[in-house]
Amino acid sequence: MNSTIDRTQLLFLIIKTQIGIGLLSLPAEIQSSAKSDSWISVLVAGTVIQFILLVYWLLLRKFPNDNLSAITVRMLGPYIGRAINAVYYAFFVFIAAYASTLYVELVKNWMLPLTPGWILLLLIIGTSLYLAYDNLRVIARFFVLSSALFIVLIMISILTFSNNVHVSNIMPIGQTGVLQILNGSEKTFFSMLGFEVTLFYFSQVQGNRKGMFKVISLANLFVTLFYTYFVFICLIGFSPDALGHMNEPVLYILKGLSYQLFDRIDLIFLTIWIIPMTVTIVSYLCVAGKSLTTSQSAYQKLVLFSGAAVFAIGWYLSKLESLEPFNKWLEKAYFIMIAAVPLLLWLGSFLTTAGAKAEST
């Protein structure tokens, strides 16, 4: 595709893809493991992601004009490379479907309990397709523009300090133990995913690539601190027992706020949060298309097909009694696709380079 983006747009593309529905339930999920040290688990997960981003940068620096799908074909040949790209395509479609299912469940529970789930799913995917159908530059501009809402979300969250907060809930620091903190960081890691889109957006940044590692590192730093902040306010806002029994503690901590001009702050927050949740799906539809084609016309057709697939899979997932088995499978696949494969490609690039040098001599 001929569209290019600048560094600022890449920064917000990564941030907006990472920050999604997972944040709302994260404090409760890691409470069972890390307890009062949950905020430390978030920092540890951010550190692990930083190391993975380093591997990404080392790989992409060797192939500055190629995205992941082109790199796999160059290194592994057309047949194996395209087969792996097809797996990536299916993987991203499944992620978009899973995120859409969680999105529908959240909206039904908090805002529209009487609306049929398939209608909400259709609206979500239709909206996402409308944006994902366009070129990357248009998508990136929307991501940058909508990122201003993060300021509003943080301002709303500050209101929670007017409640009774207990900093003693996180004391003493480190009491949970290293193993429990690491266990909590594993759960946090899968709520902060989305940084893997770097593998597809990096090659479309215009101009000199010098300093690109700082850009992707800054995106990871922002997301890590953003998640740490919300986990922290939930830890000091709820007792440990109460926090462990909430599905979306970030919304519950806002639900108790009431002012003369504004009521149900949680619904205001959720209404704004719909945009970050939607753009996450947009981004995965985009990288799914990029994993199989570089032609804009073929990309647009593939996005439409992907949207139909996401709707079908999302509808099926919504009929399951529990998404936990699917979630476990997705976590294992995630580790292979976003960590193991890029690492192996980077290590293999040294052999490719060495072989190329040997042939030239």
mmCIF file of all heavy atoms in Angstrom, residues 152-199:
data_model
loop_
_atom_site.group_PDB
_atom_site.id
_atom_site.type_symbol
_atom_site.label_atom_id
_atom_site.label_comp_id
_atom_site.label_asym_id
_atom_site.label_seq_id
_atom_site.Cartn_x
_atom_site.Cartn_y
_atom_site.Cartn_z
ATOM 1 N N VAL A 152 -9.650 13.097 28.912
ATOM 2 C CA VAL A 152 -10.963 13.129 29.559
ATOM 3 C C VAL A 152 -11.117 11.950 30.513
ATOM 4 O O VAL A 152 -11.612 12.097 31.642
ATOM 5 C CB VAL A 152 -12.079 13.115 28.499
ATOM 6 C CG1 VAL A 152 -13.448 13.156 29.172
ATOM 7 C CG2 VAL A 152 -11.920 14.293 27.550
ATOM 8 N N LEU A 153 -10.685 10.771 30.076
ATOM 9 C CA LEU A 153 -10.795 9.584 30.918
ATOM 10 C C LEU A 153 -9.977 9.719 32.195
ATOM 11 O O LEU A 153 -10.435 9.349 33.288
ATOM 12 C CB LEU A 153 -10.333 8.355 30.135
ATOM 13 C CG LEU A 153 -11.191 7.960 28.932
ATOM 14 C CD1 LEU A 153 -10.547 6.813 28.172
ATOM 15 C CD2 LEU A 153 -12.591 7.574 29.370
ATOM 16 N N ILE A 154 -8.784 10.257 32.076
ATOM 17 C CA ILE A 154 -7.942 10.451 33.260
ATOM 18 C C ILE A 154 -8.563 11.486 34.193
ATOM 19 O O ILE A 154 -8.556 11.320 35.425
ATOM 20 C CB ILE A 154 -6.521 10.871 32.845
ATOM 21 C CG1 ILE A 154 -5.834 9.710 32.113
ATOM 22 C CG2 ILE A 154 -5.690 11.273 34.058
ATOM 23 C CD1 ILE A 154 -4.474 10.051 31.547
ATOM 24 N N MET A 155 -9.127 12.555 33.624
ATOM 25 C CA MET A 155 -9.778 13.579 34.448
ATOM 26 C C MET A 155 -10.970 12.995 35.198
ATOM 27 O O MET A 155 -11.204 13.319 36.368
ATOM 28 C CB MET A 155 -10.204 14.753 33.566
ATOM 29 C CG MET A 155 -9.046 15.555 32.992
ATOM 30 S SD MET A 155 -9.598 16.899 31.900
ATOM 31 C CE MET A 155 -10.536 17.905 33.043
ATOM 32 N N ILE A 156 -11.726 12.125 34.535
ATOM 33 C CA ILE A 156 -12.861 11.478 35.212
ATOM 34 C C ILE A 156 -12.365 10.579 36.332
ATOM 35 O O ILE A 156 -12.934 10.541 37.427
ATOM 36 C CB ILE A 156 -13.702 10.677 34.201
ATOM 37 C CG1 ILE A 156 -14.400 11.623 33.210
ATOM 38 C CG2 ILE A 156 -14.739 9.820 34.916
ATOM 39 C CD1 ILE A 156 -15.167 10.910 32.118
ATOM 40 N N SER A 157 -11.292 9.850 36.071
ATOM 41 C CA SER A 157 -10.771 8.925 37.077
ATOM 42 C C SER A 157 -10.254 9.649 38.315
ATOM 43 O O SER A 157 -10.274 9.089 39.415
ATOM 44 C CB SER A 157 -9.658 8.062 36.475
ATOM 45 O OG SER A 157 -8.514 8.854 36.188
ATOM 46 N N ILE A 158 -9.796 10.876 38.143
ATOM 47 C CA ILE A 158 -9.295 11.647 39.289
ATOM 48 C C ILE A 158 -10.411 11.896 40.302
ATOM 49 O O ILE A 158 -10.159 12.049 41.508
ATOM 50 C CB ILE A 158 -8.669 12.975 38.803
ATOM 51 C CG1 ILE A 158 -7.384 12.686 38.003
ATOM 52 C CG2 ILE A 158 -8.341 13.903 39.976
ATOM 53 C CD1 ILE A 158 -6.747 13.912 37.390
ATOM 54 N N LEU A 159 -11.655 11.914 39.827
ATOM 55 C CA LEU A 159 -12.790 12.131 40.726
ATOM 56 C C LEU A 159 -12.901 11.038 41.780
ATOM 57 O O LEU A 159 -13.499 11.247 42.838
ATOM 58 C CB LEU A 159 -14.090 12.198 39.919
ATOM 59 C CG LEU A 159 -14.215 13.334 38.890
ATOM 60 C CD1 LEU A 159 -15.506 13.192 38.096
ATOM 61 C CD2 LEU A 159 -14.173 14.693 39.583
ATOM 62 N N THR A 160 -12.333 9.868 41.486
ATOM 63 C CA THR A 160 -12.429 8.761 42.445
ATOM 64 C C THR A 160 -11.687 9.051 43.744
ATOM 65 O O THR A 160 -11.964 8.429 44.769
ATOM 66 C CB THR A 160 -11.862 7.470 41.836
ATOM 67 O OG1 THR A 160 -10.474 7.656 41.518
ATOM 68 C CG2 THR A 160 -12.625 7.090 40.576
ATOM 69 N N PHE A 161 -10.764 9.996 43.724
ATOM 70 C CA PHE A 161 -10.031 10.336 44.946
ATOM 71 C C PHE A 161 -10.900 11.103 45.944
ATOM 72 O O PHE A 161 -10.494 11.316 47.081
ATOM 73 C CB PHE A 161 -8.779 11.151 44.605
ATOM 74 C CG PHE A 161 -7.706 10.335 43.935
ATOM 75 C CD1 PHE A 161 -7.581 10.315 42.560
ATOM 76 C CD2 PHE A 161 -6.821 9.573 44.691
ATOM 77 C CE1 PHE A 161 -6.597 9.566 41.942
ATOM 78 C CE2 PHE A 161 -5.830 8.817 44.085
ATOM 79 C CZ PHE A 161 -5.717 8.814 42.705
ATOM 80 N N SER A 162 -12.104 11.510 45.494
ATOM 81 C CA SER A 162 -13.039 12.132 46.426
ATOM 82 C C SER A 162 -13.740 11.083 47.282
ATOM 83 O O SER A 162 -14.368 11.412 48.282
ATOM 84 C CB SER A 162 -14.076 12.966 45.663
ATOM 85 O OG SER A 162 -14.857 12.144 44.807
ATOM 86 N N ASN A 163 -13.642 9.810 46.887
ATOM 87 C CA ASN A 163 -14.159 8.719 47.711
ATOM 88 C C ASN A 163 -13.193 8.432 48.858
ATOM 89 O O ASN A 163 -12.104 9.012 48.943
ATOM 90 C CB ASN A 163 -14.335 7.447 46.865
ATOM 91 C CG ASN A 163 -15.456 7.582 45.842
ATOM 92 O OD1 ASN A 163 -16.405 8.318 46.057
ATOM 93 N ND2 ASN A 163 -15.322 6.862 44.742
ATOM 94 N N ASN A 164 -13.596 7.545 49.705
ATOM 95 C CA ASN A 164 -12.689 7.113 50.770
ATOM 96 C C ASN A 164 -11.652 6.161 50.190
ATOM 97 O O ASN A 164 -11.977 5.058 49.748
ATOM 98 C CB ASN A 164 -13.476 6.403 51.882
ATOM 99 C CG ASN A 164 -14.391 7.345 52.634
ATOM 100 O OD1 ASN A 164 -14.068 8.514 52.821
ATOM 101 N ND2 ASN A 164 -15.547 6.845 53.058
ATOM 102 N N VAL A 165 -10.415 6.624 50.140
ATOM 103 C CA VAL A 165 -9.331 5.798 49.613
ATOM 104 C C VAL A 165 -8.421 5.396 50.767
ATOM 105 O O VAL A 165 -8.272 6.132 51.747
ATOM 106 C CB VAL A 165 -8.529 6.552 48.531
ATOM 107 C CG1 VAL A 165 -9.401 6.828 47.328
ATOM 108 C CG2 VAL A 165 -7.948 7.845 49.067
ATOM 109 N N HIS A 166 -7.826 4.236 50.618
ATOM 110 C CA HIS A 166 -6.979 3.695 51.681
ATOM 111 C C HIS A 166 -5.657 3.224 51.073
ATOM 112 O O HIS A 166 -5.571 2.116 50.530
ATOM 113 C CB HIS A 166 -7.685 2.533 52.388
ATOM 114 C CG HIS A 166 -9.024 2.895 52.946
ATOM 115 N ND1 HIS A 166 -9.171 3.542 54.163
ATOM 116 C CD2 HIS A 166 -10.281 2.727 52.442
ATOM 117 C CE1 HIS A 166 -10.464 3.736 54.389
ATOM 118 N NE2 HIS A 166 -11.153 3.257 53.375
ATOM 119 N N VAL A 167 -4.668 4.077 51.158
ATOM 120 C CA VAL A 167 -3.351 3.742 50.627
ATOM 121 C C VAL A 167 -2.756 2.555 51.387
ATOM 122 O O VAL A 167 -1.922 1.819 50.867
ATOM 123 C CB VAL A 167 -2.408 4.962 50.699
ATOM 124 C CG1 VAL A 167 -1.030 4.638 50.138
ATOM 125 C CG2 VAL A 167 -3.004 6.144 49.931
ATOM 126 N N SER A 168 -3.242 2.343 52.595
ATOM 127 C CA SER A 168 -2.740 1.220 53.399
ATOM 128 C C SER A 168 -3.043 -0.136 52.750
ATOM 129 O O SER A 168 -2.450 -1.149 53.121
ATOM 130 C CB SER A 168 -3.354 1.265 54.802
ATOM 131 O OG SER A 168 -4.771 1.200 54.737
ATOM 132 N N ASN A 169 -3.985 -0.139 51.768
ATOM 133 C CA ASN A 169 -4.322 -1.398 51.092
ATOM 134 C C ASN A 169 -3.141 -1.985 50.321
ATOM 135 O O ASN A 169 -3.121 -3.185 50.042
ATOM 136 C CB ASN A 169 -5.490 -1.189 50.129
ATOM 137 C CG ASN A 169 -6.812 -0.988 50.850
ATOM 138 O OD1 ASN A 169 -6.910 -1.203 52.057
ATOM 139 N ND2 ASN A 169 -7.830 -0.550 50.123
ATOM 140 N N ILE A 170 -2.179 -1.147 49.943
ATOM 141 C CA ILE A 170 -1.035 -1.642 49.172
ATOM 142 C C ILE A 170 0.204 -1.811 50.051
ATOM 143 O O ILE A 170 1.290 -2.096 49.536
ATOM 144 C CB ILE A 170 -0.704 -0.699 47.998
ATOM 145 C CG1 ILE A 170 -0.226 0.662 48.518
ATOM 146 C CG2 ILE A 170 -1.896 -0.541 47.078
ATOM 147 C CD1 ILE A 170 0.347 1.548 47.436
ATOM 148 N N MET A 171 0.034 -1.650 51.334
ATOM 149 C CA MET A 171 1.157 -1.762 52.264
ATOM 150 C C MET A 171 1.149 -3.119 52.973
ATOM 151 O O MET A 171 0.081 -3.653 53.287
ATOM 152 C CB MET A 171 1.104 -0.623 53.287
ATOM 153 C CG MET A 171 1.209 0.759 52.679
ATOM 154 S SD MET A 171 2.823 1.004 51.912
ATOM 155 C CE MET A 171 2.613 2.696 51.310
ATOM 156 N N PRO A 172 2.317 -3.672 53.306
ATOM 157 C CA PRO A 172 3.647 -3.219 52.857
ATOM 158 C C PRO A 172 3.912 -3.663 51.427
ATOM 159 O O PRO A 172 3.436 -4.707 50.991
ATOM 160 C CB PRO A 172 4.595 -3.910 53.832
ATOM 161 C CG PRO A 172 3.875 -5.155 54.241
ATOM 162 C CD PRO A 172 2.415 -4.805 54.250
ATOM 163 N N ILE A 173 4.665 -2.879 50.712
ATOM 164 C CA ILE A 173 4.962 -3.175 49.313
ATOM 165 C C ILE A 173 5.832 -4.435 49.222
ATOM 166 O O ILE A 173 6.809 -4.587 49.941
ATOM 167 C CB ILE A 173 5.683 -1.978 48.664
ATOM 168 C CG1 ILE A 173 4.758 -0.757 48.642
ATOM 169 C CG2 ILE A 173 6.134 -2.327 47.252
ATOM 170 C CD1 ILE A 173 5.404 0.502 48.124
ATOM 171 N N GLY A 174 5.430 -5.338 48.349
ATOM 172 C CA GLY A 174 6.188 -6.557 48.116
ATOM 173 C C GLY A 174 5.824 -7.709 49.026
ATOM 174 O O GLY A 174 6.468 -8.767 48.987
ATOM 175 N N GLN A 175 4.769 -7.554 49.820
ATOM 176 C CA GLN A 175 4.413 -8.592 50.786
ATOM 177 C C GLN A 175 3.910 -9.875 50.124
ATOM 178 O O GLN A 175 3.983 -10.960 50.696
ATOM 179 C CB GLN A 175 3.342 -8.057 51.740
ATOM 180 C CG GLN A 175 2.031 -7.697 51.040
ATOM 181 C CD GLN A 175 0.946 -7.265 51.994
ATOM 182 O OE1 GLN A 175 0.762 -7.884 53.031
ATOM 183 N NE2 GLN A 175 0.237 -6.188 51.669
ATOM 184 N N THR A 176 3.405 -9.776 48.900
ATOM 185 C CA THR A 176 2.836 -10.946 48.238
ATOM 186 C C THR A 176 3.898 -11.972 47.861
ATOM 187 O O THR A 176 3.629 -13.173 47.867
ATOM 188 C CB THR A 176 2.068 -10.509 46.972
ATOM 189 O OG1 THR A 176 1.143 -9.472 47.316
ATOM 190 C CG2 THR A 176 1.305 -11.675 46.371
ATOM 191 N N GLY A 177 5.077 -11.505 47.521
ATOM 192 C CA GLY A 177 6.140 -12.417 47.104
ATOM 193 C C GLY A 177 6.396 -12.359 45.609
ATOM 194 O O GLY A 177 5.503 -12.019 44.824
ATOM 195 N N VAL A 178 7.606 -12.714 45.218
ATOM 196 C CA VAL A 178 8.020 -12.598 43.822
ATOM 197 C C VAL A 178 7.201 -13.505 42.913
ATOM 198 O O VAL A 178 6.758 -13.098 41.832
ATOM 199 C CB VAL A 178 9.520 -12.926 43.687
ATOM 200 C CG1 VAL A 178 9.944 -12.911 42.221
ATOM 201 C CG2 VAL A 178 10.358 -11.937 44.482
ATOM 202 N N LEU A 179 6.972 -14.739 43.325
ATOM 203 C CA LEU A 179 6.257 -15.685 42.473
ATOM 204 C C LEU A 179 4.827 -15.235 42.180
ATOM 205 O O LEU A 179 4.339 -15.349 41.046
ATOM 206 C CB LEU A 179 6.244 -17.074 43.118
ATOM 207 C CG LEU A 179 7.605 -17.790 43.206
ATOM 208 C CD1 LEU A 179 7.447 -19.139 43.889
ATOM 209 C CD2 LEU A 179 8.217 -17.953 41.822
ATOM 210 N N GLN A 180 4.151 -14.712 43.194
ATOM 211 C CA GLN A 180 2.775 -14.249 42.995
ATOM 212 C C GLN A 180 2.734 -12.995 42.127
ATOM 213 O O GLN A 180 1.815 -12.819 41.316
ATOM 214 C CB GLN A 180 2.115 -13.973 44.349
ATOM 215 C CG GLN A 180 1.910 -15.220 45.200
ATOM 216 C CD GLN A 180 1.035 -16.242 44.515
ATOM 217 O OE1 GLN A 180 0.043 -15.911 43.891
ATOM 218 N NE2 GLN A 180 1.422 -17.505 44.630
ATOM 219 N N ILE A 181 3.724 -12.135 42.272
ATOM 220 C CA ILE A 181 3.795 -10.937 41.432
ATOM 221 C C ILE A 181 4.013 -11.327 39.976
ATOM 222 O O ILE A 181 3.388 -10.771 39.067
ATOM 223 C CB ILE A 181 4.921 -10.003 41.921
ATOM 224 C CG1 ILE A 181 4.555 -9.400 43.283
ATOM 225 C CG2 ILE A 181 5.186 -8.890 40.904
ATOM 226 C CD1 ILE A 181 5.648 -8.565 43.906
ATOM 227 N N LEU A 182 4.898 -12.319 39.749
ATOM 228 C CA LEU A 182 5.141 -12.795 38.389
ATOM 229 C C LEU A 182 3.904 -13.465 37.810
ATOM 230 O O LEU A 182 3.607 -13.321 36.612
ATOM 231 C CB LEU A 182 6.321 -13.763 38.374
ATOM 232 C CG LEU A 182 7.697 -13.167 38.685
ATOM 233 C CD1 LEU A 182 8.756 -14.249 38.707
ATOM 234 C CD2 LEU A 182 8.061 -12.075 37.685
ATOM 235 N N ASN A 183 3.163 -14.181 38.636
ATOM 236 C CA ASN A 183 1.921 -14.801 38.185
ATOM 237 C C ASN A 183 0.905 -13.742 37.773
ATOM 238 O O ASN A 183 0.196 -13.875 36.775
ATOM 239 C CB ASN A 183 1.354 -15.683 39.296
ATOM 240 C CG ASN A 183 0.196 -16.537 38.820
ATOM 241 O OD1 ASN A 183 0.048 -16.799 37.631
ATOM 242 N ND2 ASN A 183 -0.639 -16.974 39.756
ATOM 243 N N GLY A 184 0.840 -12.675 38.557
ATOM 244 C CA GLY A 184 -0.048 -11.567 38.207
ATOM 245 C C GLY A 184 0.390 -10.851 36.941
ATOM 246 O O GLY A 184 -0.443 -10.395 36.154
ATOM 247 N N SER A 185 1.707 -10.764 36.729
ATOM 248 C CA SER A 185 2.210 -10.097 35.526
ATOM 249 C C SER A 185 1.859 -10.876 34.266
ATOM 250 O O SER A 185 1.659 -10.294 33.206
ATOM 251 C CB SER A 185 3.726 -9.903 35.629
ATOM 252 O OG SER A 185 4.399 -11.142 35.587
ATOM 253 N N GLU A 186 1.766 -12.214 34.400
ATOM 254 C CA GLU A 186 1.367 -13.028 33.249
ATOM 255 C C GLU A 186 -0.058 -12.689 32.825
ATOM 256 O O GLU A 186 -0.353 -12.553 31.635
ATOM 257 C CB GLU A 186 1.471 -14.510 33.600
ATOM 258 C CG GLU A 186 1.077 -15.426 32.455
ATOM 259 C CD GLU A 186 1.130 -16.894 32.838
ATOM 260 O OE1 GLU A 186 1.514 -17.196 33.989
ATOM 261 O OE2 GLU A 186 0.765 -17.732 31.991
ATOM 262 N N LYS A 187 -0.955 -12.545 33.798
ATOM 263 C CA LYS A 187 -2.331 -12.171 33.475
ATOM 264 C C LYS A 187 -2.389 -10.759 32.900
ATOM 265 O O LYS A 187 -3.184 -10.478 31.992
ATOM 266 C CB LYS A 187 -3.204 -12.270 34.723
ATOM 267 C CG LYS A 187 -3.295 -13.687 35.300
ATOM 268 C CD LYS A 187 -4.148 -13.717 36.549
ATOM 269 C CE LYS A 187 -4.236 -15.132 37.116
ATOM 270 N NZ LYS A 187 -5.055 -15.191 38.345
ATOM 271 N N THR A 188 -1.550 -9.876 33.437
ATOM 272 C CA THR A 188 -1.518 -8.502 32.948
ATOM 273 C C THR A 188 -1.016 -8.442 31.519
ATOM 274 O O THR A 188 -1.503 -7.659 30.700
ATOM 275 C CB THR A 188 -0.609 -7.646 33.849
ATOM 276 O OG1 THR A 188 -1.036 -7.765 35.208
ATOM 277 C CG2 THR A 188 -0.654 -6.188 33.430
ATOM 278 N N PHE A 189 -0.029 -9.264 31.223
ATOM 279 C CA PHE A 189 0.590 -9.278 29.897
ATOM 280 C C PHE A 189 -0.453 -9.455 28.801
ATOM 281 O O PHE A 189 -0.439 -8.756 27.782
ATOM 282 C CB PHE A 189 1.627 -10.402 29.846
ATOM 283 C CG PHE A 189 2.297 -10.564 28.515
ATOM 284 C CD1 PHE A 189 3.351 -9.744 28.140
ATOM 285 C CD2 PHE A 189 1.868 -11.543 27.619
ATOM 286 C CE1 PHE A 189 3.969 -9.903 26.913
ATOM 287 C CE2 PHE A 189 2.480 -11.702 26.394
ATOM 288 C CZ PHE A 189 3.541 -10.876 26.045
ATOM 289 N N PHE A 190 -1.383 -10.362 28.998
ATOM 290 C CA PHE A 190 -2.373 -10.645 27.968
ATOM 291 C C PHE A 190 -3.470 -9.583 27.904
ATOM 292 O O PHE A 190 -4.258 -9.570 26.954
ATOM 293 C CB PHE A 190 -2.968 -12.032 28.186
ATOM 294 C CG PHE A 190 -1.995 -13.142 27.914
ATOM 295 C CD1 PHE A 190 -1.383 -13.808 28.959
ATOM 296 C CD2 PHE A 190 -1.669 -13.489 26.617
ATOM 297 C CE1 PHE A 190 -0.467 -14.830 28.717
ATOM 298 C CE2 PHE A 190 -0.756 -14.495 26.360
ATOM 299 C CZ PHE A 190 -0.149 -15.172 27.411
ATOM 300 N N SER A 191 -3.529 -8.710 28.886
ATOM 301 C CA SER A 191 -4.459 -7.585 28.824
ATOM 302 C C SER A 191 -3.834 -6.375 28.144
ATOM 303 O O SER A 191 -4.539 -5.430 27.796
ATOM 304 C CB SER A 191 -4.909 -7.193 30.237
ATOM 305 O OG SER A 191 -5.672 -8.211 30.837
ATOM 306 N N MET A 192 -2.513 -6.417 27.965
ATOM 307 C CA MET A 192 -1.790 -5.297 27.365
ATOM 308 C C MET A 192 -1.343 -5.602 25.946
ATOM 309 O O MET A 192 -0.540 -4.860 25.374
ATOM 310 C CB MET A 192 -0.571 -4.945 28.231
ATOM 311 C CG MET A 192 -0.923 -4.452 29.615
ATOM 312 S SD MET A 192 0.526 -4.219 30.675
ATOM 313 C CE MET A 192 1.400 -2.916 29.808
ATOM 314 N N LEU A 193 -1.848 -6.679 25.380
ATOM 315 C CA LEU A 193 -1.444 -7.038 24.029
ATOM 316 C C LEU A 193 -2.003 -6.054 23.010
ATOM 317 O O LEU A 193 -3.006 -5.389 23.244
ATOM 318 C CB LEU A 193 -1.899 -8.459 23.721
ATOM 319 C CG LEU A 193 -1.199 -9.546 24.536
ATOM 320 C CD1 LEU A 193 -1.836 -10.903 24.274
ATOM 321 C CD2 LEU A 193 0.283 -9.602 24.218
ATOM 322 N N GLY A 194 -1.348 -6.021 21.873
ATOM 323 C CA GLY A 194 -1.690 -5.068 20.823
ATOM 324 C C GLY A 194 -0.435 -4.435 20.258
ATOM 325 O O GLY A 194 -0.442 -3.890 19.149
ATOM 326 N N PHE A 195 0.673 -4.518 21.009
ATOM 327 C CA PHE A 195 1.940 -3.945 20.554
ATOM 328 C C PHE A 195 2.489 -4.669 19.334
ATOM 329 O O PHE A 195 3.361 -4.149 18.634
ATOM 330 C CB PHE A 195 2.960 -3.969 21.690
ATOM 331 C CG PHE A 195 3.230 -5.346 22.250
ATOM 332 C CD1 PHE A 195 4.185 -6.162 21.697
ATOM 333 C CD2 PHE A 195 2.500 -5.814 23.331
ATOM 334 C CE1 PHE A 195 4.419 -7.428 22.203
ATOM 335 C CE2 PHE A 195 2.733 -7.082 23.851
ATOM 336 C CZ PHE A 195 3.693 -7.897 23.279
ATOM 337 N N GLU A 196 1.983 -5.883 19.051
ATOM 338 C CA GLU A 196 2.476 -6.649 17.903
ATOM 339 C C GLU A 196 2.141 -5.999 16.570
ATOM 340 O O GLU A 196 2.717 -6.354 15.535
ATOM 341 C CB GLU A 196 1.925 -8.073 17.934
ATOM 342 C CG GLU A 196 0.431 -8.202 17.754
ATOM 343 C CD GLU A 196 -0.339 -8.052 19.054
ATOM 344 O OE1 GLU A 196 0.261 -7.617 20.065
ATOM 345 O OE2 GLU A 196 -1.545 -8.364 19.062
ATOM 346 N N VAL A 197 1.222 -5.014 16.566
ATOM 347 C CA VAL A 197 0.926 -4.308 15.318
ATOM 348 C C VAL A 197 2.140 -3.526 14.832
ATOM 349 O O VAL A 197 2.187 -3.122 13.662
ATOM 350 C CB VAL A 197 -0.285 -3.367 15.494
ATOM 351 C CG1 VAL A 197 -1.534 -4.151 15.864
ATOM 352 C CG2 VAL A 197 -0.002 -2.281 16.538
ATOM 353 N N THR A 198 3.127 -3.334 15.703
ATOM 354 C CA THR A 198 4.382 -2.696 15.302
ATOM 355 C C THR A 198 5.003 -3.434 14.123
ATOM 356 O O THR A 198 5.606 -2.823 13.231
ATOM 357 C CB THR A 198 5.376 -2.690 16.483
ATOM 358 O OG1 THR A 198 4.776 -2.063 17.609
ATOM 359 C CG2 THR A 198 6.655 -1.962 16.115
ATOM 360 N N LEU A 199 4.866 -4.739 14.099
ATOM 361 C CA LEU A 199 5.456 -5.561 13.047
ATOM 362 C C LEU A 199 4.858 -5.257 11.678
ATOM 363 O O LEU A 199 5.473 -5.568 10.648
ATOM 364 C CB LEU A 199 5.263 -7.046 13.366
ATOM 365 C CG LEU A 199 5.998 -7.570 14.611
ATOM 366 C CD1 LEU A 199 5.471 -8.941 14.998
ATOM 367 C CD2 LEU A 199 7.498 -7.595 14.382
#
